[in-house]
mmCIF file of all heavy atoms in Angstrom:
data_model
loop_
_atom_site.group_PDB
_atom_site.id
_atom_site.type_symbol
_atom_site.label_atom_id
_atom_site.label_comp_id
_atom_site.label_asym_id
_atom_site.label_seq_id
_atom_site.Cartn_x
_atom_site.Cartn_y
_atom_site.Cartn_z
ATOM 1 N N VAL A 92 108.108 92.899 98.705
ATOM 2 C CA VAL A 92 107.061 93.249 99.660
ATOM 3 C C VAL A 92 105.802 92.529 99.194
ATOM 4 O O VAL A 92 105.481 92.537 98.004
ATOM 5 C CB VAL A 92 106.821 94.776 99.699
ATOM 6 C CG1 VAL A 92 105.688 95.132 100.649
ATOM 7 C CG2 VAL A 92 108.103 95.516 100.071
ATOM 8 N N GLY A 93 105.125 91.887 100.129
ATOM 9 C CA GLY A 93 103.908 91.167 99.780
ATOM 10 C C GLY A 93 102.811 91.414 100.804
ATOM 11 O O GLY A 93 103.100 91.730 101.959
ATOM 12 N N VAL A 94 101.574 91.286 100.358
ATOM 13 C CA VAL A 94 100.425 91.399 101.254
ATOM 14 C C VAL A 94 99.420 90.305 100.921
ATOM 15 O O VAL A 94 99.296 89.883 99.779
ATOM 16 C CB VAL A 94 99.727 92.781 101.175
ATOM 17 C CG1 VAL A 94 100.652 93.882 101.664
ATOM 18 C CG2 VAL A 94 99.230 93.086 99.782
ATOM 19 N N ASN A 95 98.733 89.859 101.961
ATOM 20 C CA ASN A 95 97.585 88.981 101.814
ATOM 21 C C ASN A 95 96.654 89.272 102.989
ATOM 22 O O ASN A 95 96.993 90.131 103.824
ATOM 23 C CB ASN A 95 98.003 87.498 101.677
ATOM 24 C CG ASN A 95 98.598 86.906 102.930
ATOM 25 O OD1 ASN A 95 98.396 87.393 104.048
ATOM 26 N ND2 ASN A 95 99.348 85.826 102.759
ATOM 27 N N PRO A 96 95.512 88.643 103.082
ATOM 28 C CA PRO A 96 94.586 88.976 104.174
ATOM 29 C C PRO A 96 95.170 88.774 105.573
ATOM 30 O O PRO A 96 94.727 89.408 106.526
ATOM 31 C CB PRO A 96 93.400 88.035 103.945
ATOM 32 C CG PRO A 96 93.424 87.768 102.482
ATOM 33 C CD PRO A 96 94.893 87.719 102.122
ATOM 34 N N ALA A 97 96.183 87.925 105.706
ATOM 35 C CA ALA A 97 96.739 87.626 107.026
ATOM 36 C C ALA A 97 97.860 88.562 107.456
ATOM 37 O O ALA A 97 98.097 88.730 108.654
ATOM 38 C CB ALA A 97 97.237 86.186 107.070
ATOM 39 N N GLY A 98 98.588 89.164 106.495
ATOM 40 C CA GLY A 98 99.693 90.002 106.935
ATOM 41 C C GLY A 98 100.578 90.549 105.836
ATOM 42 O O GLY A 98 100.258 90.497 104.650
ATOM 43 N N LEU A 99 101.731 91.052 106.281
ATOM 44 C CA LEU A 99 102.734 91.709 105.444
ATOM 45 C C LEU A 99 103.953 90.812 105.327
ATOM 46 O O LEU A 99 104.477 90.326 106.340
ATOM 47 C CB LEU A 99 103.133 93.043 106.093
ATOM 48 C CG LEU A 99 104.247 93.862 105.447
ATOM 49 C CD1 LEU A 99 103.792 94.416 104.098
ATOM 50 C CD2 LEU A 99 104.653 95.004 106.380
ATOM 51 N N TYR A 100 104.418 90.603 104.110
ATOM 52 C CA TYR A 100 105.581 89.760 103.832
ATOM 53 C C TYR A 100 106.737 90.643 103.386
ATOM 54 O O TYR A 100 106.549 91.552 102.580
ATOM 55 C CB TYR A 100 105.228 88.767 102.724
ATOM 56 C CG TYR A 100 106.368 87.940 102.214
ATOM 57 C CD1 TYR A 100 106.828 86.838 102.927
ATOM 58 C CD2 TYR A 100 106.989 88.253 101.009
ATOM 59 C CE1 TYR A 100 107.872 86.060 102.449
ATOM 60 C CE2 TYR A 100 108.029 87.477 100.521
ATOM 61 C CZ TYR A 100 108.475 86.389 101.246
ATOM 62 O OH TYR A 100 109.508 85.620 100.773
ATOM 63 N N LEU A 101 107.933 90.369 103.906
ATOM 64 C CA LEU A 101 109.140 91.093 103.510
ATOM 65 C C LEU A 101 110.257 90.100 103.259
ATOM 66 O O LEU A 101 110.464 89.175 104.052
ATOM 67 C CB LEU A 101 109.583 92.071 104.605
ATOM 68 C CG LEU A 101 108.615 93.168 104.985
ATOM 69 C CD1 LEU A 101 109.110 93.906 106.232
ATOM 70 C CD2 LEU A 101 108.429 94.133 103.832
ATOM 71 N N ALA A 102 110.969 90.290 102.170
ATOM 72 C CA ALA A 102 112.131 89.457 101.866
ATOM 73 C C ALA A 102 113.151 90.306 101.131
ATOM 74 O O ALA A 102 112.818 91.345 100.546
ATOM 75 C CB ALA A 102 111.737 88.251 101.022
ATOM 76 N N VAL A 103 114.383 89.851 101.178
ATOM 77 C CA VAL A 103 115.473 90.510 100.470
ATOM 78 C C VAL A 103 115.896 89.584 99.333
ATOM 79 O O VAL A 103 115.906 88.358 99.481
ATOM 80 C CB VAL A 103 116.652 90.796 101.431
ATOM 81 C CG1 VAL A 103 117.851 91.339 100.694
ATOM 82 C CG2 VAL A 103 116.213 91.761 102.511
ATOM 83 N N MET A 104 116.241 90.160 98.211
ATOM 84 C CA MET A 104 116.701 89.418 97.051
ATOM 85 C C MET A 104 117.780 88.399 97.479
ATOM 86 O O MET A 104 118.610 88.711 98.331
ATOM 87 C CB MET A 104 117.222 90.501 96.105
ATOM 88 C CG MET A 104 117.835 90.128 94.893
ATOM 89 S SD MET A 104 118.384 91.581 93.931
ATOM 90 C CE MET A 104 116.876 92.365 93.465
ATOM 91 N N PRO A 105 117.768 87.180 96.936
ATOM 92 C CA PRO A 105 118.677 86.126 97.411
ATOM 93 C C PRO A 105 120.152 86.524 97.493
ATOM 94 O O PRO A 105 120.821 86.144 98.446
ATOM 95 C CB PRO A 105 118.465 84.994 96.406
ATOM 96 C CG PRO A 105 117.046 85.169 95.959
ATOM 97 C CD PRO A 105 116.839 86.680 95.921
ATOM 98 N N LEU A 106 120.655 87.275 96.568
ATOM 99 C CA LEU A 106 122.067 87.662 96.596
ATOM 100 C C LEU A 106 122.421 88.460 97.852
ATOM 101 O O LEU A 106 123.549 88.423 98.330
ATOM 102 C CB LEU A 106 122.407 88.475 95.340
ATOM 103 C CG LEU A 106 123.852 88.930 95.180
ATOM 104 C CD1 LEU A 106 124.789 87.726 95.109
ATOM 105 C CD2 LEU A 106 124.003 89.780 93.935
ATOM 106 N N PHE A 107 121.450 89.157 98.417
ATOM 107 C CA PHE A 107 121.679 90.012 99.592
ATOM 108 C C PHE A 107 120.997 89.455 100.851
ATOM 109 O O PHE A 107 120.885 90.148 101.845
ATOM 110 C CB PHE A 107 121.156 91.428 99.310
ATOM 111 C CG PHE A 107 121.807 92.048 98.118
ATOM 112 C CD1 PHE A 107 121.168 92.056 96.890
ATOM 113 C CD2 PHE A 107 123.079 92.601 98.209
ATOM 114 C CE1 PHE A 107 121.774 92.616 95.775
ATOM 115 C CE2 PHE A 107 123.691 93.152 97.104
ATOM 116 C CZ PHE A 107 123.042 93.160 95.882
ATOM 117 N N ARG A 108 120.558 88.212 100.818
ATOM 118 C CA ARG A 108 119.750 87.652 101.894
ATOM 119 C C ARG A 108 120.538 87.260 103.143
ATOM 120 O O ARG A 108 119.958 86.991 104.184
ATOM 121 C CB ARG A 108 118.975 86.446 101.373
ATOM 122 C CG ARG A 108 117.884 86.035 102.352
ATOM 123 C CD ARG A 108 116.835 85.170 101.743
ATOM 124 N NE ARG A 108 116.014 85.951 100.841
ATOM 125 C CZ ARG A 108 115.182 85.434 99.963
ATOM 126 N NH1 ARG A 108 115.067 84.131 99.867
ATOM 127 N NH2 ARG A 108 114.474 86.199 99.174
ATOM 128 N N VAL A 109 121.840 87.238 103.100
ATOM 129 C CA VAL A 109 122.635 86.866 104.272
ATOM 130 C C VAL A 109 122.192 87.710 105.470
ATOM 131 O O VAL A 109 122.195 88.931 105.423
ATOM 132 C CB VAL A 109 124.143 87.076 104.009
ATOM 133 C CG1 VAL A 109 124.945 86.870 105.282
ATOM 134 C CG2 VAL A 109 124.618 86.155 102.917
ATOM 135 N N GLY A 110 121.765 87.033 106.541
ATOM 136 C CA GLY A 110 121.302 87.732 107.737
ATOM 137 C C GLY A 110 119.898 88.287 107.631
ATOM 138 O O GLY A 110 119.430 88.959 108.548
ATOM 139 N N HIS A 111 119.229 88.034 106.519
ATOM 140 C CA HIS A 111 117.904 88.595 106.254
ATOM 141 C C HIS A 111 116.911 87.497 105.855
ATOM 142 O O HIS A 111 116.510 87.421 104.696
ATOM 143 C CB HIS A 111 117.972 89.626 105.130
ATOM 144 C CG HIS A 111 118.742 90.839 105.447
ATOM 145 N ND1 HIS A 111 120.118 90.887 105.369
ATOM 146 C CD2 HIS A 111 118.335 92.060 105.850
ATOM 147 C CE1 HIS A 111 120.519 92.098 105.697
ATOM 148 N NE2 HIS A 111 119.466 92.820 106.002
ATOM 149 N N PRO A 112 116.481 86.658 106.793
ATOM 150 C CA PRO A 112 115.487 85.645 106.417
ATOM 151 C C PRO A 112 114.156 86.319 106.061
ATOM 152 O O PRO A 112 113.882 87.426 106.531
ATOM 153 C CB PRO A 112 115.345 84.801 107.685
ATOM 154 C CG PRO A 112 115.740 85.714 108.793
ATOM 155 C CD PRO A 112 116.801 86.621 108.223
ATOM 156 N N PRO A 113 113.345 85.671 105.238
ATOM 157 C CA PRO A 113 112.027 86.243 104.932
ATOM 158 C C PRO A 113 111.195 86.415 106.207
ATOM 159 O O PRO A 113 111.333 85.649 107.164
ATOM 160 C CB PRO A 113 111.397 85.200 104.006
ATOM 161 C CG PRO A 113 112.552 84.460 103.422
ATOM 162 C CD PRO A 113 113.597 84.437 104.500
ATOM 163 N N LEU A 114 110.333 87.432 106.186
ATOM 164 C CA LEU A 114 109.499 87.775 107.335
ATOM 165 C C LEU A 114 108.032 87.748 106.932
ATOM 166 O O LEU A 114 107.691 88.098 105.798
ATOM 167 C CB LEU A 114 109.833 89.180 107.840
ATOM 168 C CG LEU A 114 111.290 89.506 108.132
ATOM 169 C CD1 LEU A 114 111.448 90.995 108.443
ATOM 170 C CD2 LEU A 114 111.803 88.652 109.284
ATOM 171 N N PHE A 115 107.186 87.373 107.886
ATOM 172 C CA PHE A 115 105.747 87.511 107.700
ATOM 173 C C PHE A 115 105.185 88.082 108.994
ATOM 174 O O PHE A 115 105.289 87.463 110.051
ATOM 175 C CB PHE A 115 105.068 86.182 107.362
ATOM 176 C CG PHE A 115 103.618 86.373 107.061
ATOM 177 C CD1 PHE A 115 103.217 86.858 105.823
ATOM 178 C CD2 PHE A 115 102.666 86.132 108.021
ATOM 179 C CE1 PHE A 115 101.876 87.080 105.552
ATOM 180 C CE2 PHE A 115 101.318 86.341 107.765
ATOM 181 C CZ PHE A 115 100.931 86.823 106.523
ATOM 182 N N ILE A 116 104.605 89.283 108.902
ATOM 183 C CA ILE A 116 104.095 89.985 110.075
ATOM 184 C C ILE A 116 102.571 90.033 109.985
ATOM 185 O O ILE A 116 102.019 90.602 109.042
ATOM 186 C CB ILE A 116 104.668 91.413 110.181
ATOM 187 C CG1 ILE A 116 106.203 91.357 110.225
ATOM 188 C CG2 ILE A 116 104.147 92.115 111.425
ATOM 189 C CD1 ILE A 116 106.884 91.908 109.045
ATOM 190 N N PRO A 117 101.873 89.441 110.954
ATOM 191 C CA PRO A 117 100.402 89.476 110.934
ATOM 192 C C PRO A 117 99.890 90.916 111.060
ATOM 193 O O PRO A 117 100.477 91.739 111.772
ATOM 194 C CB PRO A 117 99.997 88.662 112.164
ATOM 195 C CG PRO A 117 101.220 87.934 112.601
ATOM 196 C CD PRO A 117 102.393 88.701 112.095
ATOM 197 N N TRP A 118 98.793 91.219 110.372
ATOM 198 C CA TRP A 118 98.251 92.585 110.391
ATOM 199 C C TRP A 118 97.991 93.129 111.799
ATOM 200 O O TRP A 118 98.242 94.316 112.033
ATOM 201 C CB TRP A 118 96.980 92.681 109.551
ATOM 202 C CG TRP A 118 97.252 92.622 108.074
ATOM 203 C CD1 TRP A 118 96.753 91.725 107.188
ATOM 204 C CD2 TRP A 118 98.100 93.493 107.319
ATOM 205 N NE1 TRP A 118 97.242 91.978 105.929
ATOM 206 C CE2 TRP A 118 98.074 93.067 105.978
ATOM 207 C CE3 TRP A 118 98.897 94.589 107.639
ATOM 208 C CZ2 TRP A 118 98.795 93.683 104.968
ATOM 209 C CZ3 TRP A 118 99.617 95.210 106.633
ATOM 210 C CH2 TRP A 118 99.561 94.765 105.318
ATOM 211 N N PRO A 119 97.535 92.321 112.754
ATOM 212 C CA PRO A 119 97.322 92.896 114.092
ATOM 213 C C PRO A 119 98.608 93.440 114.740
ATOM 214 O O PRO A 119 98.532 94.260 115.650
ATOM 215 C CB PRO A 119 96.750 91.723 114.905
ATOM 216 C CG PRO A 119 96.102 90.845 113.888
ATOM 217 C CD PRO A 119 96.971 90.965 112.661
ATOM 218 N N ASP A 120 99.765 92.999 114.257
ATOM 219 C CA ASP A 120 101.044 93.475 114.786
ATOM 220 C C ASP A 120 101.611 94.658 114.003
ATOM 221 O O ASP A 120 102.715 95.128 114.300
ATOM 222 C CB ASP A 120 102.072 92.349 114.792
ATOM 223 C CG ASP A 120 101.839 91.357 115.905
ATOM 224 O OD1 ASP A 120 100.791 91.432 116.571
ATOM 225 O OD2 ASP A 120 102.715 90.495 116.120
ATOM 226 N N VAL A 121 100.894 95.127 112.987
ATOM 227 C CA VAL A 121 101.386 96.214 112.125
ATOM 228 C C VAL A 121 100.594 97.485 112.399
ATOM 229 O O VAL A 121 99.369 97.471 112.438
ATOM 230 C CB VAL A 121 101.238 95.845 110.629
ATOM 231 C CG1 VAL A 121 101.709 96.981 109.733
ATOM 232 C CG2 VAL A 121 101.995 94.555 110.313
ATOM 233 N N SER A 122 101.311 98.581 112.592
ATOM 234 C CA SER A 122 100.649 99.895 112.640
ATOM 235 C C SER A 122 101.299 100.764 111.576
ATOM 236 O O SER A 122 102.467 100.590 111.227
ATOM 237 C CB SER A 122 100.755 100.531 114.027
ATOM 238 O OG SER A 122 102.097 100.731 114.379
ATOM 239 N N VAL A 123 100.516 101.700 111.054
ATOM 240 C CA VAL A 123 100.957 102.497 109.910
ATOM 241 C C VAL A 123 100.754 103.976 110.203
ATOM 242 O O VAL A 123 99.701 104.379 110.704
ATOM 243 C CB VAL A 123 100.170 102.100 108.641
ATOM 244 C CG1 VAL A 123 100.630 102.912 107.440
ATOM 245 C CG2 VAL A 123 100.304 100.606 108.363
ATOM 246 N N THR A 124 101.774 104.762 109.887
ATOM 247 C CA THR A 124 101.692 106.219 109.969
ATOM 248 C C THR A 124 102.300 106.794 108.705
ATOM 249 O O THR A 124 102.887 106.073 107.902
ATOM 250 C CB THR A 124 102.456 106.774 111.203
ATOM 251 O OG1 THR A 124 103.829 106.362 111.115
ATOM 252 C CG2 THR A 124 101.854 106.286 112.508
ATOM 253 N N SER A 125 102.164 108.086 108.536
ATOM 254 C CA SER A 125 102.843 108.751 107.421
ATOM 255 C C SER A 125 103.749 109.827 107.996
ATOM 256 O O SER A 125 103.473 110.381 109.055
ATOM 257 C CB SER A 125 101.847 109.328 106.422
ATOM 258 O OG SER A 125 101.014 110.264 107.041
ATOM 259 N N GLU A 126 104.838 110.085 107.303
ATOM 260 C CA GLU A 126 105.807 111.100 107.726
ATOM 261 C C GLU A 126 106.216 111.939 106.534
ATOM 262 O O GLU A 126 106.420 111.418 105.446
ATOM 263 C CB GLU A 126 107.074 110.450 108.299
ATOM 264 C CG GLU A 126 106.913 109.806 109.632
ATOM 265 C CD GLU A 126 108.239 109.270 110.173
ATOM 266 O OE1 GLU A 126 109.312 109.536 109.575
ATOM 267 O OE2 GLU A 126 108.208 108.578 111.200
#
Side-chain angles (χ1 to χ4, degrees):
V92 177
V94 295
N95 68 21
L99 176 68
Y100 173 78
L101 299 171
V103 174
M104 176 180 293
L106 182 61
F107 302 100
R108 193 162 289 166
V109 172
H111 294 81
L114 308 172
F115 185 78
I116 302 112
W118 287 122
D120 285 9
V121 178
S122 61
V123 181
T124 58
S125 60
E126 288 184 8

